[in-house]
Every structure is written in C-alpha cells, then in structure tokens.
C-alpha cells in the first residue's frame, strides 16, 4: 500500500512549522505533477506501458462530430494514447489538503474513466450522423469501419485502463529527499 508509507513519513516530519511543511508539500506536489505529465510523453507510468488506442477511435470521432464534420487526425493513430486535445495532460494538478497531505490528479469528468478503464456511452445523434455522412463523402475509405454508426442510437466504448495517477517507490523516495533537504537546512522555505 503506497499511501501508508507516505502517511507515516509525513507524520515523522509533523514537527516542521506549518509554513515550512506547506513548502515541502508544494515541492512534492510539483514533483508529482511533473512525473505524471512526463508519463504522457513516455506512454506509461509506474513501470506499466499504456495500451495503444483503438483505430479508428470511434468514441473520439463521435465527439468530434458533435462540433461539425471535421475529425482530428489523431483518431486514426494508435499513439499517443490519452492525448488528443491535450486537455487531460494539462489538467494534471496538485492540491494541499489540510496540513499533511498533497493530492495529485485531474478534475476532468472523464479522467477517472481513462485511469480505470470504465465504459462510457455516447449518443449517436442525428447531428453526429449528418456530420459523419458529410465526412465520409470526403473520406470514403473509412465507410466500412464507421458505417455501422448509422444504425445505432448509442455507442459504448470500453477503454483499457491507463493508470496515469500512480505513486511509485521513486516518488516516495523523492518526497523523502525533499523533506530531508528542508530538515537538514539545505533548503529554506
């Protein structure tokens, strides 16, 4: 359990004055955001490589078709997974909770679905069908793979879990190092 050693370690530095403890938590939070965002570039985190996207990315195509007949080119490539618009990557943030906890994650409504691989259902509306028809007139090679959507009212995507919020042993070691530098006087808040 990664949370227990982290919690025990924070308790061990509880005597650090509040403003200095906040400094330690901010530095740990910045570290966690940085390593999480680098995981998007390396396509994995915590020793686990993320599965590639399905091609074509039907759920992504349906989302694009909500706004017109333009479909992003990334809907037809396996990598990078979890990056199409950059919203998820750029939403990674930390917050300090109370006096001894830092939490890292994303507040986007779909972030937990991507993290855990939870299914979600998208409506195949008439607008999406009309936009798909217009797009397929220009991209006839995709009719076979996407034409089935005309007969559907909804489409359920079952993504692979891609764990981007992970607390590793290396992260715990870095947190200990950050606090140790403050305690030893190498860094001042």
């Amino acid at each position: 359990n990664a949370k227990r050693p982290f919690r025990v370690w924070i308790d061990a530095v509880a005597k650090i004055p509040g403003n200095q403890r906040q400094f330690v938590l901010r530095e740990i939070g910045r570290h966690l955001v940085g390593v999480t965002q680098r995981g998007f570039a390396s396509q994995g985190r915590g020793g686990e490589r993320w599965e590639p996207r399905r091609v074509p990315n039907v759920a992504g195509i349906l989302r694009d078709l909500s706004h017109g007949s333009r479909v992003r080119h990334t809907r037809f490539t396996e990598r990078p997974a979890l990056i199409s618009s950059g919203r998820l990557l750029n939403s990674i943030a930390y917050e300090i909770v109370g006096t001894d906890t830092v939490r890292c994650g994303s507040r986007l409504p779909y972030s937990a679905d991507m993290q855990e691989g939870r299914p979600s259902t998208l409506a195949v509306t008439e607008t999406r069908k009309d936009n798909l028809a217009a797009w397929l007139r220009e991209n006839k090679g995709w009719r076979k793979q996407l034409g089935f959507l005309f007969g559907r009212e909804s489409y359920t995507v079952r993504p692979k879990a891609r764990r981007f919020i992970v607390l590793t042993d290396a992260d715990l070691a870095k947190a200990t190092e950050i606090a140790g530098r403050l305690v030893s006087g190498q860094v001042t808040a």
Side-chain angles (χ1 to χ4, degrees):
N1 182 349
K3 291 186 180 186
R4 186 170 177 202
F6 190 71
R7 181 66 184 191
V8 168
W9 168 79
I10 284 293
D11 289 343
V13 296
K15 293 182 181 176
I16 296 174
N19 65 333
Q20 292 177 338
R21 193 173 328 128
Q22 292 291 306
F23 175 79
V24 168
L25 294 173
R26 279 194 309 274
E27 290 301 305
I28 292 168
R30 288 183 187 127
H31 166 75
L32 292 174
V33 167
V35 295
T36 300
Q37 289 179 331
R38 285 190 295 278
F40 282 78
S42 64
Q43 292 290 278
R45 181 91 174 93
E48 182 180 309
R49 183 141 168 92
W50 297 337
E51 291 285 327
R53 288 190 270 243
R54 291 185 182 109
V55 174
N57 177 347
V58 177
I61 291 168
L62 284 171
R63 286 186 192 98
D64 291 347
L65 293 173
S66 293
H67 309 290
S69 60
R70 184 179 169 271
V71 176
R72 291 184 183 146
H73 70 89
T74 56
R75 307 304 187 194
F76 304 97
T77 59
E78 289 184 338
R79 296 229 183 251
L82 296 183
I83 302 175
S84 284
S85 66
R87 286 183 61 217
L88 182 59
L89 166 69
N90 292 320
S91 74
I92 304 301
Y94 74 91
E95 67 178 323
I96 296 172
V97 181
T99 61
D100 64 355
T101 303
V102 63
R103 182 171 36 206
C104 181
S106 169
R107 291 183 185 219
L108 290 178
Y110 60 87
S111 63
D113 295 342
M114 299 295 103
Q115 170 91 358
E116 302 299 328
R118 293 187 211 146
S120 61
T121 301
L122 298 157
V124 184
T125 63
E126 289 305 314
T127 298
R128 286 175 167 162
K129 289 177 184 178
D130 291 345
N131 289 336
L132 177 61
W135 186 81
L136 287 174
R137 280 193 289 278
E138 301 293 321
N139 299 276
K140 294 177 178 145
W142 291 99
R143 286 181 182 173
K144 192 178 252 184
Q145 291 96 333
L146 298 172
F148 75 95
L149 291 169
F150 292 110
R152 297 274 190 96
E153 291 183 16
S154 65
Y155 175 78
T156 300
V157 61
R158 291 172 178 81
K160 301 283 186 182
R162 294 180 179 97
R163 300 192 188 285
F164 52 95
I165 302 297
V166 177
L167 184 62
T168 67
D169 290 342
D171 296 329
L172 291 171
K174 184 66 175 182
T176 302
E177 175 193 324
I178 290 167
R181 286 194 325 251
L182 179 67
V183 171
S184 70
Q186 294 176 19
V187 174
T188 57

